[in-house]
Amino acid sequence: MALIYGSCEASYRKTAELINRIRYQQEDGTPERTLRDNTEKEGRQIQEHLLKKTGMILKEHGFSAQGVPPQTGMLAIIDEGQMLEQEELVELVMDCQVADALKAEILKNPVAYEDPEKAVHLSIDEVGAKKQAEVRPKQTPASTSIKKREYIQNAVVHVHKKNVCYLLNGDSVLNVLGMLLAFLLHNHLESCPWVFFVDGHSLYTTLLQFFCWRSKLTIILDWYHLEKKCKELLSMACKGSLIRNSILDQLRPLLWHGLVEQAVDYLRLIPENQLKNREELLHLIRYLEKNRPMIPAYEIRRRLGLRNSSNRGEKANDLLVADRQKNNGMSWSKAGSVALASVTALKKNKEYDAWFQTGEMEFKLAS
């Protein structure tokens, strides 16, 4: 009760008050600090168990501890249902409200269209909580410098297939990718299409490096973050909001249909008299060119009922970290933040009954 219905939902102080009231121990009951220490201990044990389980699963399937596959077998895996029938795709593209000359370019977009019944959708993101100072600084009247706030990062993955999901968290992206690989192997999902949703190029690069042995890996840039980046950089590049909005009205449909080359050509032709900082415009062009491999034809995906957003990963961040750790000026140690997120994931995955009874986790997709 203290961990699952207390610490995961409310502050340690409020949880200690709740537990002591239930046990009629409002005086000389469990201190707040004891509750915090026990929660962090439980979270560390969960992480240790997951890392141990990850190592065992990878070894069983012939992988190294770093996720390197056996020399034979894995590269031969073919993703099932990765592409639609060409006829169906052509019909959808022909129905798009764009110039006929651009429809052939939409069909050339390299980002595949998965079968939602067979695909595993994976949203990965990092979320920061304020880092707790190891030593509280002394305040002096002469002190005028303002220290930059430091943050500690949790990496979170939302795994979704059909109508079931599972949440993974760790202290780094590489650690959580190792857990993810073990989870996919343990659930016999290695032959399914894997579709990752990310919000930036750094995660794209990390995924390509970690899963370099896999022949097909679909990575999609979240539409909201793409649109937001365009707005931000154009705001810094253009002379006023009217010009910016006019450019966005032309740029947005091109990107929505996955026409990155045409979008870049359009940006290069913007006249100097509409710009106050051309370097920011060049920044946007470089951003689009760098992220071209993960910009799909969002409109076609929408028509197919496929996802265009990493919002489930961001919601997972809220559930595991932000809702509990980013309020009321709270700050955390690295170990404390990851441990509490691990206990919360235990709850969200409905693994806590087995964990508290046996010290084991099923590590299976939960409905």
Side-chain angles (χ1 to χ4, degrees):
M1 183 177 291
L3 295 178
I4 301 304
Y5 298 103
S7 298
C8 291
E9 304 292 339
S11 68
Y12 292 129
R13 178 182 60 80
K14 290 181 178 178
T15 300
E17 291 174 356
L18 171 66
I19 296 303
N20 291 330
R21 186 166 62 251
I22 291 173
R23 297 187 304 188
Y24 299 100
Q25 292 181 326
Q26 278 121 319
E27 295 184 10
D28 301 323
T30 300
E32 171 188 340
R33 186 180 184 87
T34 299
L35 178 64
R36 185 195 68 191
D37 292 344
N38 285 341
T39 303
E40 293 184 4
K41 179 182 177 182
E42 199 74 36
R44 287 195 300 272
Q45 291 175 342
I46 292 169
Q47 278 291 306
E48 289 167 3
H49 173 75
L50 286 174
L51 290 173
K52 182 179 178 181
K53 197 175 191 75
T54 292
M56 291 174 58
I57 293 170
L58 293 180
K59 186 176 180 180
E60 286 172 7
H61 288 81
F63 282 76
S64 72
Q66 292 74 37
V68 178
Q71 293 300 312
T72 59
M74 293 304 297
L75 292 178
I77 288 176
I78 300 175
D79 296 339
E80 299 176 358
Q82 184 70 15
M83 289 296 293
L84 293 176
E85 293 293 334
Q86 187 68 12
E87 293 79 7
E88 181 183 356
L89 189 57
V90 169
E91 184 178 342
L92 288 170
V93 172
M94 290 301 109
D95 196 39
C96 290
Q97 301 299 311
V98 296
D100 290 342
L102 295 177
K103 291 177 180 178
E105 298 301 319
I106 296 175
L107 287 169
K108 294 178 184 177
N109 193 295
V111 183
Y113 302 95
E114 72 276 10
D115 182 342
E117 292 297 311
K118 297 177 180 178
V120 184
H121 292 112
L122 305 155
S123 302
I124 181 168
D125 201 4
E126 291 183 283
V127 58
K130 291 180 182 177
K131 184 178 180 180
Q132 191 176 67
E134 295 181 8
V135 179
R136 182 169 293 183
K138 293 182 179 180
Q139 298 293 331
T140 61
S143 178
T144 56
S145 61
I146 300 175
K147 276 196 170 184
K148 185 178 180 181
R149 169 63 72 178
E150 292 185 54
Y151 288 85
I152 49 178
Q153 299 294 326
N154 277 268
V156 176
V157 177
H158 180 277
V159 184
H160 181 264
K161 189 175 191 300
K162 292 186 178 179
N163 61 342
V164 293
C165 65
Y166 200 91
L167 303 179
L168 297 166
N169 81 287
D171 60 359
S172 71
V173 171
L174 287 179
N175 273 349
V176 85
L177 285 180
M179 290 182 200
L180 173 62
L181 175 57
F183 182 84
L184 294 170
L185 294 170
H186 188 59
N187 285 271
H188 310 293
L189 299 173
E190 62 270 23
S191 62
C192 297
W194 297 353
V195 185
F196 287 87
F197 297 86
V198 300
D199 61 7
H201 193 266
S202 60
L203 286 173
Y204 173 78
T205 303
T206 302
L207 289 170
L208 285 183
Q209 291 174 345
F210 192 86
F211 295 109
C212 61
W213 48 267
R214 190 171 171 89
S215 58
K216 293 182 181 179
L217 196 68
T218 301
I219 306 174
I220 293 174
L221 178 62
D222 170 71
W223 168 253
Y224 169 81
H225 285 90
L226 173 59
E227 186 180 32
K228 180 182 177 185
K229 190 71 170 182
C230 291
K231 289 179 179 178
E232 290 174 351
L233 293 177
L234 284 175
S235 292
M236 292 185 282
C238 298
K239 292 180 178 179
S241 60
L242 291 178
I243 293 176
R244 184 205 69 167
N245 292 339
S246 175
I247 293 172
L248 274 173
D249 287 342
Q250 300 297 317
L251 181 66
R252 193 184 285 112
L254 292 173
L255 295 176
W256 179 245
H257 288 90
L259 298 166
V260 179
E261 185 175 346
Q262 289 72 18
V264 168
D265 290 343
Y266 168 71
L267 292 173
R268 292 189 189 279
L269 295 175
I270 295 174
E272 289 291 339
N273 60 8
Q274 294 184 3
L275 301 174
K276 63 182 179 183
N277 188 339
R278 189 161 193 87
E279 185 55 39
E280 295 298 340
L281 183 68
L282 295 176
H283 184 179
L284 176 56
I285 290 171
R286 290 192 295 269
Y287 170 82
L288 293 176
E289 290 177 334
K290 184 170 63 174
N291 291 287
R292 183 194 302 258
M294 54 176 177
I295 297 178
Y298 297 99
E299 170 63 13
I300 304 303
R301 291 186 61 82
R302 184 193 69 80
R303 289 170 179 261
L304 291 168
L306 302 177
R307 285 172 54 189
N308 283 322
S309 172
S310 63
N311 57 4
R312 294 187 185 182
E314 292 170 6
K315 182 61 179 177
N317 281 341
D318 291 341
L319 292 173
L320 298 191
V321 181
D323 287 349
R324 175 66 175 84
Q325 298 187 29
K326 296 183 75 170
N327 297 316
N328 303 322
M330 290 184 288
S331 57
W332 302 81
S333 66
K334 179 71 172 179
S337 175
V338 175
L340 180 56
S342 300
V343 175
T344 308
L346 186 78
K347 175 181 179 178
K348 300 301 180 184
N349 293 328
K350 302 178 182 178
E351 292 265 31
Y352 53 90
D353 282 340
W355 173 254
F356 289 129
Q357 291 175 19
T358 67
E360 295 286 333
M361 293 164 62
E362 292 185 11
F363 213 45
K364 294 281 188 179
L365 280 170
S367 58

